[in-house]
Amino acid sequence: MIPHLWNDLEGTFFPESALDYMPESRLREVQLQRLKAVITLSYEKVELFRERMHAKGLKPADVHTLADVSKLPFMVKTDLRDTYPYGLFAVPMSEVVRLHASSGTTGKPIVVGYTAQDMEVWKQVIMRTLYAAGYSRGDIVQNMYGYGLFTGGLGLHGGLEGIGATVIPISGGNSERQIMVMKDFGVTAICGTPSYFIHLIETAQKMGIDFKRDLKVKRGVFGAEPWTDEMRQYIESASGVKAFDIYGLSEIIGPGVGAECECQDGLHIFEDHFLAEIVDTKTLAPVPDGTEGELVITTLSKQAMPVIRYRTRDITAFETRPCSCGRTCRRIKRISRRSDDMFIIRGVNVFPSQIEVALLKTEASLPHYQIILTRKSGLDQMEVRVEITGEMLSDNVGAMEQLQKRFGKSIEQITGLHALVTLAQPGSIPRSEGKAKRLIDQRNEPN
Amino acid sequence: MKIRQISIFLENQPGRLSTLCQTLANAGVNLSTLMLSEAGEFGLLRIVTPEAEKARAVVEKAGYAVTEGDVLAIQIPDKPGGLASVLTVLDWHTVSVEYMYAFACRTGRAIMIIRFNDLDRAIDVLQKAGINVFKAVDLFNG
């Protein structure tokens, strides 16, 4: 049998996905071997890493077991800024076939590079992601992630082509056209950010299009921003689209670090390429499996820009039970918050995801929202701006005030904090790359 | 009898009302009457226009949150106690007014746009009492 024709066979097994089922002992061997290689490479080629190893009195030869990774220095986002643009690259530029960059909201962006082999790995992990979510050749897939410097669009694109799906590289924006294409092109699956898709569900309603009756979309891979189980329930019940979570970050490879399988019960990390640790956010020591902490990732096969112990700021925990899908690669719980998203107001820790849950408890669909923190006479104030949709609007001023009060009450029940809720006009909260900026902290700005 | 009224959500911010009016103006929508109710940091603009369909499409396309409902246009005797007499009739039949505002017309008749809790009962009561409830076609052509 010719390997590249396997995809044409009936059934749900795909050769790329075989690695998801590697016996655990074999998987750990592969990880250790690759870890040693990537540490040696970084030590030789990346000055920042070499200096940090020296500062700790470490040499690559000091890593004997996977557990030894915890001795190694961490990397953080500012390291990428400080070495802008190419300071962390481990290969000559002639080997780099692709550059991506993150949208820097302040100052310079961060730049990441890929060799031809890195591109192949990226494609493979996306293919494994898509197979795990039930995508296959024959699917017509509308890719609504932004194309361009952002890793989302082109990242998914490579894997979609890899599995032989029909890709519609539509990128984000122009919601009515998105719905039109979905309908007219017979789209069966989609990729994009969950908040944008929720917006599309509402757009379709306005256009008089019933997702379940008029469209053929059956599954969606959603990521690039933290989202909650409540959002998944809403997406699935309102649109009939089975919603799978995908995890990744540009600093590591882009989307494709981990993904949900058909069980939708945590994200499998593609452990043959990424070594995951979970550490205590304060002590940075590894936490026992099942305990929440910050996810730290080491790339095991990246050539252009290997990253050792990158602090993702994403809060999660390892799932301790084996997954019923049979995959052996470990799972993390879905990430619904980031340690740097957390804010402290009047001594209380609050995550934007809590506000999201509060809003969803009040309204069936998640409205666009923004949290604005200000300080008045030394006291922190939390304002939550909520965009009104046509469905929420009532001609009765009293009913609108009631809605406002219900939002406030729900937020207070969940966070224990009083929030000033303001109702905002649709579209008045700025969006970028389909991601909404959830938190504006103006507490240290002069009034 | 029923007149379509479009309600638009507006934030209470400088320029929001003028931007909306400009949107309607650019589309050539003529407003017959309107009322702005404000509640702290937001407001509802209610408009009555002969081109309700178009007005709604235009403002929705411009991204506003919009809803609509029916109101009645009622002729009020133009003399002291005129409005009081109409309201008394409604009160006897326990029909409640949610809000009302004036309608400007060329003939100089006094016309109020009224939103009722029970529109059909209001029509019934008003007609039986001989109070003039305008049809849309007469209202906009009058």
Side-chain angles (χ1 to χ4, degrees):
Chain A
M1 196 179 309
I2 307 166
H4 72 269
L5 291 179
W6 287 4
N7 287 0
D8 292 340
L9 295 179
E10 290 283 319
T12 54
F13 181 74
F14 303 97
E16 290 78 13
S17 298
L19 294 162
D20 298 356
Y21 301 89
M22 205 188 295
E24 199 184 343
S25 56
R26 175 78 190 117
L27 179 58
R28 302 298 161 224
E29 268 173 47
V30 168
Q31 285 189 310
L32 180 59
Q33 188 192 337
R34 289 185 175 172
L35 177 67
K36 286 179 177 171
V38 78
I39 288 167
T40 306
L41 174 73
S42 286
Y43 187 84
E44 282 169 7
K45 306 286 186 188
V46 183
E47 192 187 339
L48 177 128
F49 182 67
R50 188 166 52 242
E51 281 173 1
R52 288 195 183 161
M53 288 288 275
H54 284 169
K56 287 189 163 247
L58 289 170
K59 288 255 160 37
D62 293 324
V63 173
H64 304 287
T65 66
L66 283 175
D68 288 340
V69 76
S70 63
K71 296 190 227 165
L72 302 175
F74 287 103
M75 283 176 72
V76 292
K77 190 160 197 156
T78 47
D79 293 334
L80 279 84
R81 290 224 171 86
D82 296 344
T83 55
Y84 172 87
Y86 302 143
L88 296 178
F89 283 21
V91 296
M93 283 310 284
S94 56
E95 296 297 312
V96 176
V97 300
R98 175 76 71 78
L99 294 174
H100 278 283
S102 83
S103 45
T105 43
T106 49
K108 302 275 191 193
I110 57 158
V111 178
V112 295
Y114 302 77
T115 64
Q117 187 192 296
D118 292 339
M119 290 303 295
E120 180 59 27
V121 168
W122 196 12
K123 185 178 93 181
Q124 300 252 336
V125 290
I126 296 290
M127 288 170 72
R128 289 159 70 178
T129 296
L130 295 166
Y131 286 139
Y135 288 55
S136 62
R137 173 181 290 255
D139 269 318
I140 302 174
V141 186
Q142 187 157 332
N143 186 10
M144 304 184 290
Y145 280 114
Y147 277 71
L149 283 179
F150 175 51
T151 49
L154 284 160
L156 263 298
H157 187 98
L160 285 163
E161 285 193 342
I163 68 166
T166 308
V167 196
I168 306 169
I170 194 166
S171 208
N174 200 340
S175 306
E176 293 197 359
R177 191 181 61 156
Q178 297 272 4
I179 300 293
M180 183 198 77
V181 166
M182 238 174 247
K183 186 162 185 277
D184 296 350
F185 293 15
V187 168
T188 59
I190 51 172
C191 309
T193 60
S195 61
Y196 185 61
F197 185 60
I198 286 173
H199 170 70
L200 282 189
I201 294 174
E202 282 149 17
T203 305
Q205 278 164 1
K206 266 191 207 145
M207 294 166 70
I209 288 175
D210 181 337
F211 248 91
K212 293 178 194 166
R213 188 193 62 214
D214 304 325
L215 302 178
K216 293 185 187 151
V217 188
K218 290 289 169 283
R219 51 193 79 240
V221 163
F222 299 103
E225 62 190 14
W227 53 305
T228 55
D229 273 326
E230 283 80 3
M231 284 169 83
R232 184 198 332 253
Q233 279 156 19
Y234 171 70
I235 287 174
E236 295 194 341
S237 66
S239 69
V241 172
K242 194 165 182 192
F244 296 90
D245 199 359
I246 180 172
Y247 176 71
L249 55 172
S250 299
E251 298 90 318
I252 301 300
I253 197 163
V257 174
E260 278 185 335
C261 63
E262 66 270 17
C263 303
Q264 293 175 303
D265 186 21
L267 296 97
H268 292 277
I269 299 286
F270 298 116
E271 288 187 286
D272 47 327
H273 295 297
F274 310 108
L275 180 69
E277 304 167 74
I278 293 177
V279 301
D280 185 282
T281 50
K282 289 199 182 71
T283 65
L284 302 182
V287 297
D289 280 3
T291 309
E292 247 189 12
E294 180 178 336
L295 181 64
V296 171
I297 294 178
T298 299
T299 62
L300 294 176
S301 53
K302 275 281 279 305
Q303 295 178 322
M305 204 185 93
V307 174
I308 315 289
R309 298 200 88 201
Y310 186 74
R311 291 185 57 189
T312 64
R313 306 288 170 179
D314 291 318
I315 305 293
T316 183
F318 281 120
E319 282 286 359
T320 49
R321 296 162 294 117
C323 187
S324 45
C325 74
R327 283 180 176 76
T328 47
C329 44
R330 275 192 297 181
R331 286 173 300 154
I332 53 168
K333 292 204 165 73
R334 68 193 281 107
I335 289 156
S336 58
R337 56 202 176 95
R338 291 172 51 80
S339 65
D340 52 0
D341 276 352
M342 189 191 82
F343 55 93
I344 300 176
I345 177 161
R346 290 174 236 148
V348 180
N349 293 357
V350 182
F351 289 93
S353 59
Q354 291 178 290
I355 303 296
E356 205 160 292
V357 170
L359 298 179
L360 264 168
K361 280 199 162 41
T362 312
E363 273 291 306
S365 66
L366 181 70
H368 268 291
Y369 69 94
Q370 191 167 51
I371 303 158
I372 300 166
L373 305 180
T374 52
R375 187 166 288 158
K376 285 198 184 93
S377 352
L379 245 153
D380 289 352
Q381 314 281 344
M382 170 165 63
E383 178 187 349
V384 179
R385 284 173 62 78
V386 184
E387 273 186 20
I388 288 300
T389 62
E391 289 77 46
M392 284 185 222
L393 184 60
S394 156
D395 173 51
N396 186 326
V397 174
M400 295 309 288
E401 286 173 326
Q402 283 303 318
L403 177 67
Q404 202 173 2
K405 281 204 187 102
R406 283 205 307 278
F407 279 135
K409 221 174 240 167
S410 183
I411 291 168
E412 194 160 346
Q413 271 167 5
I414 285 173
T415 64
L417 288 164
H418 171 76
L420 171 72
V421 175
T422 22
L423 303 181
Q425 279 178 229
S428 61
I429 293 169
R431 295 151 173 87
S432 64
E433 297 275 24
K435 295 191 207 188
K437 189 156 169 48
R438 297 301 190 200
L439 181 67
I440 308 258
D441 193 344
Q442 303 174 328
R443 285 181 291 186
N444 294 317
E445 287 173 16
N447 288 322
Chain B
M1 296 288 160
K2 294 176 186 174
I3 308 288
R4 262 177 96 178
Q5 173 191 258
I6 312 285
S7 304
I8 302 153
F9 179 88
L10 284 177
E11 274 175 68
N12 199 351
Q13 298 272 346
R16 296 294 165 105
L17 182 59
S18 84
T19 308
L20 172 73
C21 290
Q22 197 57 55
T23 304
L24 288 164
N26 291 346
V29 172
N30 188 34
L31 300 180
S32 300
T33 182
L34 59 83
M35 176 177 67
L36 183 63
S37 327
E38 64 92 32
E41 72 285 356
F42 71 87
L44 282 172
L45 181 71
R46 284 124 177 185
I47 62 174
V48 171
T49 164
E51 302 166 286
E53 196 73 45
K54 183 175 171 191
R56 174 163 191 163
V58 165
V59 288
E60 272 194 333
K61 189 144 195 288
Y64 291 91
V66 181
T67 186
E68 64 173 76
D70 292 325
V71 290
L72 296 183
I74 294 161
Q75 185 167 357
I76 308 294
D78 193 7
K79 56 185 175 191
L83 179 60
S85 66
V86 172
L87 293 177
T88 304
V89 170
L90 292 164
D91 194 30
W92 284 337
H93 294 87
T94 60
V95 178
S96 318
V97 170
E98 289 186 351
Y99 54 80
M100 64 168 84
Y101 50 104
F103 184 89
C105 77
R106 283 185 283 272
T107 58
R109 281 181 295 196
I111 300 174
M112 294 299 291
I113 299 288
I114 310 189
R115 167 86 178 181
F116 292 97
N117 65 335
D118 185 339
L119 207 69
D120 294 316
R121 251 169 62 72
I123 293 173
D124 188 47
V125 167
L126 290 163
Q127 282 184 329
K128 280 185 181 146
I131 295 164
N132 188 10
V133 183
F134 287 90
K135 292 197 177 94
V137 57
D138 300 327
L139 180 71
F140 296 122
N141 295 334

